Amino acid sequence: MSHKLTTPAAVAATLVALMAAAPASAADYVQDAGSTLVFATKYDGEVFTGTFPGFSTKLSFDPADLPAGKLDVTIPLAGANTGNNDRDTTLRGADFFNVAKFAQARYRAAGFRSLGGDKYAADGTLELRGVSKPVTLTFTWTPGAAPVLAGKATVKRLDFGVGGGDWSDTATIPNEVAVSTKVVFKPVQ
């Protein structure tokens, strides 16, 4: 049996070739300016919308390696804004978000699914008011220098105790709340 000696240059060339053949890792992003997080529901038949300013998003995403992806969104609840001061005060109170006890919500997903084309799904977990439940976010991904994730989800508020007590009547406020987001990203530096 003969032993082949390798030069440092040959070893370096082999390492470079192995690294080039390795699967690409997911790119890491953080939220940039121009991002929005909106919710919409009805009260006594009247549609209203609100926003969560101050939310922050971290994403690890590569369309070629969806199982390696991660999404982490932190949502400060005290800033919920519907444009109606009385409603906003009620939302911050104990019957709804209870911001005195639960200052933020958090959505986390590990791994994504392709829905075809530039459409994907994140089967994640929403933590709200001390309750964790599965919530699926469907989204489109627009790559580029400032990539954009545009997504939608439906949250069943009563699963999280939001609007309990006198507010639990789904004829007054539907159980399903539509959530939509547009997150502009920049690469982690």
Side-chain angles (χ1 to χ4, degrees):
M1 181 183 328
S2 68
H3 294 293
K4 196 174 197 181
L5 296 175
T6 57
T7 65
V11 171
T14 302
L15 287 174
V16 168
L18 287 173
M19 288 170 44
S25 62
D28 292 327
Y29 302 97
V30 291
Q31 181 177 315
D32 204 358
S35 300
T36 58
L37 180 58
V38 179
F39 63 94
T41 191
K42 294 179 183 178
Y43 175 69
D44 279 341
E46 177 188 331
V47 174
F48 72 92
T49 62
T51 61
F52 290 107
F55 77 103
S56 65
T57 309
K58 295 177 187 172
L59 175 70
S60 184
F61 185 75
D62 177 357
D65 190 8
L66 295 176
K70 291 183 180 170
L71 177 63
D72 190 346
V73 184
T74 302
I75 308 157
L77 299 172
N81 182 358
T82 66
N84 178 305
N85 192 47
D86 290 340
R87 182 171 36 226
D88 295 347
T89 299
T90 301
L91 286 176
R92 288 189 286 272
D95 286 336
F96 285 87
F97 295 140
N98 194 1
V99 298
K101 188 171 181 183
F102 305 103
Q104 67 185 24
R106 192 157 184 196
Y107 181 78
R108 287 184 270 202
F112 303 108
R113 295 182 284 125
S114 174
L115 300 177
D118 65 349
K119 295 183 174 126
Y120 303 92
D123 298 312
T125 301
L126 177 63
E127 299 169 28
L128 176 61
R129 286 183 51 106
V131 177
S132 295
K133 296 276 184 179
V135 171
T136 296
L137 174 74
T138 58
F139 65 94
T140 58
W141 176 254
T142 306
V148 175
L149 178 153
K152 295 182 178 186
T154 300
V155 175
K156 293 185 177 183
R157 66 179 181 89
L158 294 175
D159 288 355
F160 298 93
V162 174
D166 293 341
W167 302 102
S168 62
D169 180 4
T170 55
T172 304
I173 303 173
N175 187 29
E176 293 186 343
V177 176
V179 177
S180 61
T181 190
K182 176 186 166 195
V183 186
V184 179
F185 287 103
K186 62 183 176 184
V188 172
Q189 298 296 329

